[in-house]
Amino acid sequence: MNDRLGLSRRALLHLSAVAAGSVVLAGCSGGDNQTDGGAGPKGGGKPTSQARKGSRVKPLAVPAKLKESPELAKLVQAGKLPKLEERLPKKPYVVPHNWLEPGKYGGAISTVTSASDSGTHAEFMYGHSLLRWLNDGQDIGPGLVESWESNADASEWTLHFREGLKWSDGHPWSTDDIMFWWNDMVLNTQHSEVPPDEARSGKGTVMTMTAPDALTISMKFDAPAPLTADRLAMWVKRGNGPGWMEPKHYLKQWHPKYNKSVGKDWATDKGLFDQKRAWIRNPDCPVMTGWKCKSYSEGRRVVFDRNPYYWCVSPDGAQLPYLDTLNFNVVQNPEVQKLQAVEGKMNFLFGGFTSLFLSDISSLKQAQSKTKLEVLLWDAGDGSGSLVFFNQDYYEPKMRKLIRNAKFRQALSHAYNRAEVQKAVYYNTGELTTGTMSPKAIEFHVNEEGKKVYKSWRDSYIKYDPELAKKILDEIGVVDKDGDGKREMPDGSKLVVRLDYQADTAPEHLHKNNLLKKDWDAIGIDTRLNPVPPDGFGDQWRFGKLMTNTTWETGDGPNCLVYPQWLVPMESSRWAPLQGEFYNQRGGPNEKKQLDVDPYKRTPPRMDAEPGGPVARLWKIYDQTKIEPDELKRHQLVWEMVKIHITDGPYLLGVVANTPYILLVHEDMKNVPARNELAMGGFAAPWIHPTPAVYDPETWFWTNPDQHTI
């Protein structure tokens, strides 16, 4: 799984506390009266007061008196570190969450990770983000950018950065670090970094970005770009999502523009440039995050320690983070992960990054008196559960034609007993769905029409009706012509539907796939489970060699346009990979190249959409959304795209929407928000709404730090 593709947390390992007790699941809005699996605000089971819920949107005033970690104070006294006021920006960011209380310095988080170089480590830190999402994506607040504005039609944006920002090595941060990323990486065709979608206008052309001074960035588009602020808030940046900055003073020594001795292979695996900028495993690479890599032991452990120049403070003036270190211990085996959780060999765990499941909740609860690990839940906010989607650009023409026949996919959807999967895999949690974008997306709540559109999409092909499925297949000529009990292609040739999945996928997906195979076999579809080596899965998909993907979920939001890749093909990882890549190349140097070459042999593989077909119509509407300044009109355009998913779909075969994610939080740890302290109950699934980073782990602290120093 590629962490940069906007996938959901572990491409679906949802959790719930049903096994431990009754849970009132989140609705789309997440009210205060819903429980947290017995955990309550912090284990007490009491309702959270409204005063502790959500985050303030208006920036807080900088406290008159600031303070720092005692360990840093010692370094200052020894002359090894500048004074606090010299390390912080002129106006540091004051974390605005209502659930916060003053903390204590010291101690460590000790958790597990499946790989030492996992991108999940970056998901704990929001420090590279220009802007920040608040209140589960409903609001946008400042980040590195202190203030911003656009012109009347949103075609020009100006960003004003905080004065006095510094990298973790003490070197001043400036807009040169953004322009280095932009000019020397993104616009440099030798490097793999490409203009992110937020850098393109609705016409497909790349913006013009300049830095008038060290604290100002100007972005000019040839058409309105009203979603720019939202898109600057998504992802954690630098590794997960577009980079948006790199420490020029450090990395220029491995860039040929600044060091003539650097070889031509500087931007390949043989060069040092990308190796050195990998801050999650290179202790020497400067960061803007609350913690920086201290040590990296391949396959064993990664340790991050406090960044003395972190630019954020608590409401009472404490420079963050409170915690000294984050320890990620590599445990690849899912069963060992579970065993360590039950034995209390960790003091925190975000279930979105592990292989814990619904069936594990009971044992975790039973062990709580020994482990002191409380079970909390955050809403996933996803729109599908474990997803199945066909490859609309499958390489074999005859099968591709059948896959693109909406009736074929509609028949298979009606043959899918989702209620059985909901019961067996999700313990009757969540809401049954055909498969949609997030039910929490603003487009589905803004008014009654939005609610109606969502319900129509959710329920479009949800009905379990095997006889209807058979009838539809008969109508399109997918019938059993040779009497062997299996349906053939319309021309009489063999029909096999493969459920492709990474060989190391989680049991949740395997369980779902087995049940789905049973359902499709029952209507005469020869369905076969096909484990694929995980390292090659992505390349096989984008080349059109795989028929289905069965291990993801639709987790993106908090509106359908900030990361609309499930809604409209625009890159190579989802349901129309070659068409998506064709769109992705618009405005780039390859757009007009190789058009006379077989689409599957182009570099990269790509094909245009069928004129007037559903993808072409989706592209046209999406391009309108990118330049439409009126928010309600953008919502209406989203609804038009949804209607294409209904009439020409389903493209996404989901099970249930908005099941919870689990957290294990030691009873001594404070400021970790409970579900009913979050504005919408949490929004844990999307990578673009980076969890737990959006809830600022830098504010978490131990009541007894000296007892949690592992």
Side-chain angles (χ1 to χ4, degrees):
M1 184 180 77
N2 187 330
D3 291 343
R4 299 179 64 185
L5 297 178
L7 314 185
S8 60
R9 286 293 147 195
R10 56 194 179 285
L12 187 65
L13 297 174
H14 293 305
L15 301 161
S16 166
V18 169
S22 61
V23 175
V24 181
L25 277 189
C28 293
S29 58
D32 283 335
N33 60 340
Q34 295 182 346
T35 71
D36 219 333
K42 200 54 188 92
K46 298 179 181 179
T48 298
S49 70
Q50 194 66 27
R52 287 179 58 88
K53 189 182 180 81
S55 308
R56 284 158 286 186
V57 178
K58 184 179 179 180
L60 302 183
V62 178
K65 185 176 181 180
L66 300 174
K67 53 187 175 181
E68 63 186 324
S69 160
E71 296 302 315
L72 296 184
K74 292 178 183 178
L75 295 176
V76 172
Q77 292 173 359
K80 297 180 179 179
L81 193 68
K83 295 179 180 179
L84 177 60
E85 56 267 27
E86 297 173 9
R87 304 196 313 268
L88 286 173
K90 184 177 180 180
K91 293 183 179 179
Y93 175 71
V94 184
V95 180
H97 309 314
N98 292 322
W99 61 79
L100 299 180
E101 59 183 271
K104 296 180 180 180
Y105 285 109
I109 277 181
S110 183
T111 189
V112 297
T113 182
S114 60
S116 48
D117 61 350
S118 173
T120 61
H121 306 163
E123 291 293 290
F124 282 76
M125 296 171 261
Y126 213 10
H128 289 122
S129 191
L130 282 69
L131 300 175
R132 293 185 170 207
W133 264 328
L134 299 170
N135 295 314
D136 291 335
Q138 297 178 95
D139 299 301
I140 301 171
L144 291 168
V145 171
E146 185 175 357
S147 64
W148 66 98
E149 68 268 355
S150 69
N151 62 355
D153 70 351
S155 62
E156 297 183 13
W157 289 78
T158 305
L159 310 177
H160 306 282
F161 289 83
R162 297 177 189 276
E163 182 180 348
L165 291 164
K166 292 180 175 63
W167 289 96
S168 57
D169 61 358
H171 192 280
W173 183 99
S174 80
T175 51
D176 279 353
D177 299 306
I178 290 181
M179 298 310 298
F180 174 76
W181 167 77
W182 182 250
N183 290 324
D184 300 328
M185 294 170 60
V186 174
L187 300 184
N188 187 329
T189 56
Q190 290 181 309
H191 198 272
S192 59
E193 197 95 353
V194 296
D197 191 56
E198 61 263 33
R200 292 188 176 98
S201 76
K203 296 181 180 180
T205 52
V206 176
M207 71 176 178
T208 299
M209 184 161 70
T210 58
D213 57 55
L215 298 177
T216 308
I217 285 289
S218 173
M219 299 182 291
K220 296 183 179 181
F221 301 83
D222 64 358
L227 291 169
T228 297
D230 295 78
R231 288 176 160 176
L232 294 180
M234 67 184 186
W235 303 102
V236 291
K237 309 292 192 293
R238 286 195 78 196
N240 290 352
W244 272 97
M245 72 193 71
E246 292 290 349
K248 179 180 179 179
H249 71 283
Y250 173 72
L251 286 176
K252 67 181 183 181
Q253 57 190 309
W254 297 287
H255 195 293
K257 179 178 177 180
Y258 306 93
N259 182 353
K260 301 303 181 183
S261 65
V262 172
K264 294 182 179 180
D265 60 357
W266 68 278
T268 70
D269 291 341
K270 297 179 181 179
L272 289 176
F273 186 83
D274 282 349
Q275 295 178 37
K276 293 296 184 180
R277 76 184 183 107
W279 62 273
I280 63 172
R281 60 178 182 266
N282 176 15
D284 294 329
C285 187
V287 299
M288 299 298 292
T289 50
W291 296 275
K292 55 188 175 61
C293 184
K294 178 183 180 181
S295 63
Y296 179 86
S297 179
E298 180 69 36
R300 296 183 61 190
R301 195 184 202 205
V302 187
V303 178
F304 292 82
D305 66 356
R306 178 185 286 106
N307 171 9
Y309 294 90
Y310 190 50
W311 46 278
C312 302
V313 301
S314 67
D316 69 328
Q319 185 195 24
L320 300 171
Y322 286 123
L323 298 171
D324 291 334
T325 58
L326 304 181
N327 300 317
F328 296 92
N329 300 303
V330 179
V331 180
Q332 294 181 325
N333 189 309
E335 295 304 317
V336 177
Q337 288 183 355
K338 297 174 187 178
L339 181 63
Q340 291 195 1
V342 173
E343 293 180 346
K345 293 185 177 180
M346 62 187 72
N347 55 30
F348 176 85
L349 182 141
F350 176 52
F353 300 149
T354 71
S355 297
L356 294 179
F357 292 94
L358 298 171
S359 56
D360 302 316
I361 297 296
S362 180
S363 59
L364 291 169
K365 283 283 190 177
Q366 291 172 10
Q368 184 171 323
S369 61
K370 176 183 69 174
T371 66
K372 309 301 181 185
L373 293 174
E374 299 181 351
V375 177
L376 273 68
L377 300 171
W378 288 341
D379 283 3
D382 72 298
S384 66
S386 182
L387 184 64
V388 176
F389 54 99
F390 279 89
N391 191 332
Q392 298 292 307
D393 300 328
Y394 189 60
Y395 79 103
E396 200 281 311
K398 193 161 47 178
M399 189 65 197
R400 181 171 68 248
K401 181 179 179 181
L402 185 60
I403 288 172
R404 289 187 176 186
N405 186 332
K407 292 292 185 181
F408 177 68
R409 287 175 276 114
Q410 290 166 12
L412 295 186
S413 185
H414 285 304
Y416 190 2
N417 189 346
R418 292 172 170 86
E420 183 180 20
V421 179
Q422 181 188 37
K423 180 179 180 180
V425 180
Y426 296 99
Y427 286 65
N428 286 326
T429 64
E431 63 176 20
L432 290 175
T433 181
T434 297
T436 71
M437 293 286 277
S438 172
K440 294 193 177 195
I442 187 174
E443 292 89 348
F444 304 140
H445 300 277
V446 65
N447 57 26
E448 290 303 315
E449 184 175 0
K451 295 176 182 178
K452 182 178 179 181
V453 168
Y454 169 71
K455 290 179 181 178
S456 296
W457 192 8
R458 181 194 66 189
D459 299 339
S460 52
Y461 303 103
I462 197 175
K463 182 182 179 182
Y464 175 54
D465 191 338
E467 294 306 314
L468 175 60
K470 294 176 184 178
K471 179 180 178 182
I472 295 173
L473 291 173
D474 290 345
E475 290 174 354
I476 63 174
V478 179
V479 298
D480 179 10
K481 295 187 177 182
D482 59 10
D484 66 350
K486 299 293 184 183
R487 294 174 182 267
E488 279 76 45
M489 301 280 281
D491 68 352
S493 59
K494 291 292 183 182
L495 169 62
V496 174
V497 171
R498 294 196 316 270
L499 295 178
D500 301 317
Y501 58 91
Q502 296 92 330
D504 62 349
T505 198
E508 185 172 6
H509 303 300
L510 295 177
H511 197 173
K512 176 264 297 178
N513 284 353
N514 282 317
L515 293 172
L516 182 58
K517 169 179 165 52
K518 182 191 69 171
D519 291 340
W520 287 354
D521 281 342
I523 61 168
I525 299 293
D526 186 356
T527 310
R528 301 180 186 179
L529 301 174
N530 183 41
V532 178
D535 289 344
F537 193 94
D539 283 342
Q540 289 195 57
W541 181 264
R542 68 188 183 93
F543 277 87
K545 296 294 185 180
L546 297 178
M547 189 180 296
T548 62
N549 189 326
T550 64
T551 62
W552 288 11
E553 67 183 342
T554 55
D556 296 322
N559 66 61
C560 292
L561 292 175
V562 289
Y563 203 79
Q565 278 78 340
W566 288 115
L567 192 62
V568 52
M570 49 193 300
E571 45 76 55
S572 60
S573 69
R574 290 169 176 76
W575 50 271
L578 275 79
Q579 295 175 81
E581 188 58 43
F582 191 91
Y583 185 94
N584 189 44
Q585 295 294 328
R586 294 196 322 173
N590 293 326
E591 180 179 14
K592 303 297 182 182
K593 295 180 180 179
Q594 297 184 312
L595 297 183
D596 58 343
V597 177
D598 183 312
Y600 295 89
K601 297 180 180 179
R602 295 172 182 169
T603 306
R606 60 195 185 277
M607 68 169 64
D608 199 355
E610 297 176 352
V615 172
R617 302 199 315 269
L618 287 169
W619 284 351
K620 182 177 180 181
I621 298 173
Y622 175 60
D623 286 344
Q624 291 178 259
T625 70
K626 294 181 70 176
I627 61 174
E628 176 53 64
D630 184 271
E631 184 176 15
L632 181 57
K633 290 182 180 178
R634 290 200 302 273
H635 295 335
Q636 293 170 337
L637 290 169
V638 167
W639 300 337
E640 291 302 312
M641 288 192 281
V642 168
K643 291 174 184 176
I644 292 175
H645 274 255
I646 296 173
T647 59
D648 294 80
Y651 296 106
L652 314 171
L653 295 178
V655 184
V656 291
N658 200 36
T659 53
Y661 272 16
I662 192 174
L663 287 88
L664 296 180
V665 183
H666 196 283
E667 63 182 23
D668 295 339
M669 181 177 283
K670 305 301 179 184
N671 279 349
V672 182
R675 182 194 174 282
N676 49 6
E677 291 176 324
L678 298 174
M680 297 179 71
F683 207 155
W687 287 90
I688 63 168
H689 183 261
T691 306
V694 290
Y695 307 132
D696 290 288
E698 294 85 356
T699 64
W700 302 352
F701 70 94
W702 295 109
T703 57
N704 46 359
D706 57 324
Q707 297 182 30
H708 300 280
T709 58
I710 298 175

